[in-house]
Amino acid sequence: QMAVGDGVADIVGRRYGSVKWPFSPSKSVAGSAAFVASAFSASLGLVSLFHAFGFTALTAAAAAPAVLLISLLSAAVELLPAELADDNVSVPAAAWALSAWLLSAG
């Protein structure tokens, strides 16, 4: 989530991010949307790769709803003010916790 989502959000937000979030003026709506789209796509790509090599029985189709929710909530955590949480820690921690809960095998 963080590796792809944050990087793409930064690039897109700088280029197309004229509309800012009112509660997080340093972050843009376009950047947040790019975070969700890129993190979702990359995560599904990894699930597909792991499934193809037999590391998981989970398919991309089965994982998609949970991965979308994880991507949306990770983007929301990324909007928290830096004084409250360092996004380099809070986003991976949230993504890990959500993944453990939503994608657990059992």
Side-chain angles (χ1 to χ4, degrees):
Q1 295 290 318
M2 186 67 179
V4 174
D6 194 48
V8 174
D10 182 50
I11 293 166
V12 171
R14 287 178 193 266
R15 176 67 176 98
Y16 302 105
S18 58
V19 178
K20 304 294 185 182
W21 291 105
F23 52 85
S24 187
S26 67
K27 308 287 183 171
S28 70
V29 174
S32 296
F35 183 109
V36 172
S38 61
F40 176 71
S41 299
S43 296
L44 281 187
L46 286 173
V47 170
S48 294
L49 185 68
F50 289 174
H51 179 75
F53 283 100
F55 295 122
T56 183
L58 188 63
T59 64
V67 170
L68 179 59
L69 182 58
I70 293 164
S71 299
L72 286 165
L73 293 175
S74 294
V77 168
E78 207 257 343
L79 292 172
L80 294 173
E83 301 81 36
L84 185 60
D86 178 359
D87 67 355
N88 292 311
V89 175
S90 61
V91 172
W96 170 80
L98 290 164
S99 297
W101 176 45
L102 296 172
L103 297 173
S104 63

